[in-house]
Amino acid sequence: MPRVSQERLDARRRQILEAAARCFARNGFHATSMQDVLKEAGLSAGAVYRYFAGKEELIAAVVNEVLEEIRSAFEEAARTSPPPPPNVLIGAVLRRVLRAKSEQGEEWASLYPRLMIQVWAETLRDPALAAVLRQGFETVRVLWVKIVEGYQDAGMMRADIPALSVARTMVALVQGFAAQYALFGDVPVQAVELGLEALMSMGGPGRAELSGPRDG
Amino acid sequence: MPRVSQERLDARRRQILEAAARCFARNGFHATSMQDVLKEAGLSAGAVYRYFAGKEELIAAVVNEVLEEIRSAFEEAARTSPPPPPNVLIGAVLRRVLRAKSEQGEEWASLYPRLMIQVWAETLRDPALAAVLRQGFETVRVLWVKIVEGYQDAGMMRADIPALSVARTMVALVQGFAAQYALFGDVPVQAVELGLEALMSMGGPGRAELSGPRDG
DNA sequence: CTCAAGAAAACGAACGATCCTTCTTTTTAG
DNA sequence: CTAAAAAGAAGGATCGTTCGTTTTCTTGAG
């Protein structure tokens, strides 16, 4: 049985996957050709097609890895006990995603944020992927809703606002900052942490006077 | 001079542009073929190529329209006097972008959010577009920094945090919510407004005790 | 008002290029 | 030495674009 060792197979597979991920992060799924991936991986077509049935499967593999990474970042941050305030929580998720370069030490810090945007774009044209993403966000939201309810029960936050809305807002903040990071790169995570902290310091504008910066 | 009337030419051009926008929002820039656009517009290749030199120019035109729309949404909201609190400001931007369907009454409410994501994806592979986007966000941030400084000067917000960080955070919130809207569709703008209002009610967690949900 | 003339606008088949994939051959590992 | 793994040229399909032809629309004369 002259087959090659299993770790060698796994290594080849990961080599291809990471090369594809770099290409996709650079040019998107549909603007990168198979030959781009082959060149980036330093392999031939025959080699790659032994590990992946086609381009779609390659895309799916990268997408799944990205989603798994992001989902786990949200969940790990949510597992922190006691639950940190929102700005710290959001900072933790972002740092986790940014730090998660390739499995090995890798160059590009914004690889996952970039891939995340590509995944979003792909989600718009693939209902099945949209369902997966929806499910993932649902899971995360459930976790974060509990944390928000914790804030409210402890009297740290107004309790007359649905926790779901707050959780969605916090997730949106993570998404938006990650997008900024992917697009412009030069944004420290501390900026959101501080920015949200400042917003949190504004105190509820009561229920009636939303528009007056001063009251008379 | 038997040329056709100018409005007819403009109408054709917009017909093509809107058809392309719908296709791009549905499938992304590089996964939609020219024939997809031709079919959506109900025109032939010869007709389309009389108005646009090629696919790249078509993409550029759609991209510019999207960026213009979003930029103006940010700027119009910033022009409100007196400056509303952050949650209202953000809500205004989002409602403006969501309401801006096609020039004419159109079907898809999430057309611009969808295109925005496609534009982000394209930005990752086009440095020139990245520069344009960076410039646009820079302009918006300047406007919003002034508003934030207004909050701080009025004593509504902690003044020891850079206004730039707060502005970036608010923009990130808009971006993130728009992304959620494009991806899942079923999110009312009110959710962010309320969510941020709740976050604003948390009161600054001081400088030392960030982790304790209760104090002893 | 009718109608023909001419130019612009639209058509759509066809071309070269590129894409993804396959398959035979060569190399490599056990 | 053998079978798996990798190579790389070739095939079929699709892409963006061009270009010769047809249709449409404006204009000016009758």
Side-chain angles (χ1 to χ4, degrees):
Chain A
M1 47 183 99
R3 220 187 302 182
V4 87
S5 74
Q6 184 64 27
E7 12 173 89
R8 220 169 169 66
L9 293 180
D10 292 349
R12 271 271 183 272
R13 193 185 153 90
R14 181 140 54 221
Q15 170 187 358
I16 296 168
L17 215 100
E18 294 188 3
R22 283 192 297 272
C23 290
F24 292 155
R26 197 188 304 132
N27 276 328
F29 295 124
H30 301 303
T32 68
S33 67
M34 272 295 160
Q35 301 233 355
D36 290 336
V37 175
L38 304 186
K39 183 170 298 183
E40 179 80 21
L43 292 175
S44 69
V48 168
Y49 275 83
R50 182 166 299 280
Y51 294 87
F52 295 93
K55 192 183 182 182
E56 283 200 19
E57 196 170 303
L58 204 46
I59 293 176
V62 170
V63 165
N64 284 337
E65 192 165 308
V66 171
L67 292 184
E68 175 61 26
E69 176 64 32
I70 293 179
R71 199 180 50 79
S72 72
F74 274 101
E75 295 186 355
E76 280 185 22
R79 251 197 298 276
T80 307
S81 180
N87 56 328
V88 175
L89 195 63
I90 286 170
V93 176
L94 287 171
R95 277 182 228 277
R96 168 77 152 73
V97 172
L98 297 188
R99 200 172 306 278
K101 315 166 184 186
S102 244
E103 315 299 285
Q104 308 288 12
E106 196 66 33
E107 26 166 2
W108 235 353
S110 58
L111 187 124
Y112 273 93
R114 281 170 160 259
L115 287 174
M116 189 197 62
I117 287 185
Q118 303 295 352
V119 168
W120 290 348
E122 187 66 9
T123 300
L124 296 181
R125 47 175 256 108
D126 182 355
L129 180 54
V132 172
L133 223 72
R134 189 184 297 270
Q135 173 64 36
F137 273 109
E138 177 65 25
T139 303
V140 167
R141 278 200 301 250
V142 167
L143 284 177
W144 283 40
V145 160
K146 286 184 187 171
I147 295 178
V148 170
E149 287 171 347
Y151 299 148
Q152 294 177 326
D153 291 346
M156 300 165 60
M157 174 191 282
R158 280 176 55 176
D160 62 333
I161 291 177
L164 180 59
S165 295
V166 184
R168 271 209 261 241
T169 301
M170 289 168 61
V171 172
L173 199 44
V174 172
Q175 293 179 273
F177 181 84
Q180 279 189 33
Y181 195 92
L183 293 172
F184 308 124
D186 58 351
V187 199
V189 173
Q190 206 190 15
V192 233
E193 293 177 312
L194 290 176
L196 181 52
E197 199 176 335
L199 289 170
M200 286 164 59
S201 77
M202 290 194 76
R207 236 146 271 154
E209 299 158 300
L210 291 173
S211 55
R214 298 168 183 235
D215 69 34
Chain B
M1 53 198 67
R3 220 186 305 183
V4 86
S5 73
Q6 184 63 29
E7 9 173 274
R8 213 182 245 288
L9 294 180
D10 292 348
R12 271 269 183 273
R13 193 186 153 88
R14 182 139 54 220
Q15 170 187 358
I16 295 168
L17 214 98
E18 294 188 3
R22 283 193 297 274
C23 289
F24 292 155
R26 197 187 305 129
N27 276 328
F29 295 123
H30 301 333
T32 67
S33 66
M34 272 293 157
Q35 301 234 354
D36 290 336
V37 175
L38 303 185
K39 184 171 295 182
E40 179 80 22
L43 293 175
S44 69
V48 169
Y49 274 84
R50 181 164 300 280
Y51 295 87
F52 296 94
K55 193 184 182 183
E56 282 200 20
E57 196 170 303
L58 204 45
I59 293 177
V62 171
V63 165
N64 284 337
E65 192 166 309
V66 170
L67 291 184
E68 176 61 27
E69 176 63 32
I70 293 179
R71 198 180 52 78
S72 72
F74 273 100
E75 295 186 355
E76 280 185 21
R79 251 196 299 276
T80 307
S81 179
N87 57 326
V88 175
L89 195 63
I90 285 170
V93 176
L94 287 170
R95 278 182 228 276
R96 167 77 152 72
V97 172
L98 297 187
R99 201 172 307 278
K101 315 166 187 187
S102 243
E103 315 299 283
Q104 310 286 10
E106 195 66 32
E107 26 167 0
W108 236 352
S110 57
L111 187 122
Y112 273 93
R114 280 170 161 260
L115 287 174
M116 188 196 64
I117 287 185
Q118 304 295 352
V119 169
W120 290 349
E122 187 65 10
T123 300
L124 296 181
R125 47 174 255 110
D126 182 355
L129 180 54
V132 173
L133 223 72
R134 189 185 296 268
Q135 173 64 34
F137 273 109
E138 178 65 24
T139 303
V140 167
R141 279 200 300 249
V142 167
L143 284 176
W144 284 39
V145 160
K146 287 184 188 170
I147 296 178
V148 170
E149 287 172 346
Y151 299 149
Q152 293 177 327
D153 291 345
M156 301 166 59
M157 174 191 282
R158 280 176 54 176
D160 62 334
I161 291 176
L164 179 59
S165 294
V166 184
R168 271 210 262 241
T169 301
M170 289 168 63
V171 172
L173 200 44
V174 172
Q175 294 178 274
F177 181 85
Q180 277 189 33
Y181 195 92
L183 293 172
F184 307 124
D186 58 351
V187 199
V189 173
Q190 206 189 14
V192 232
E193 294 178 311
L194 289 176
L196 181 52
E197 198 176 336
L199 288 171
M200 286 163 58
S201 78
M202 290 194 75
R207 238 146 270 154
E209 299 159 301
L210 290 171
S211 54
R214 297 167 181 234
D215 67 35

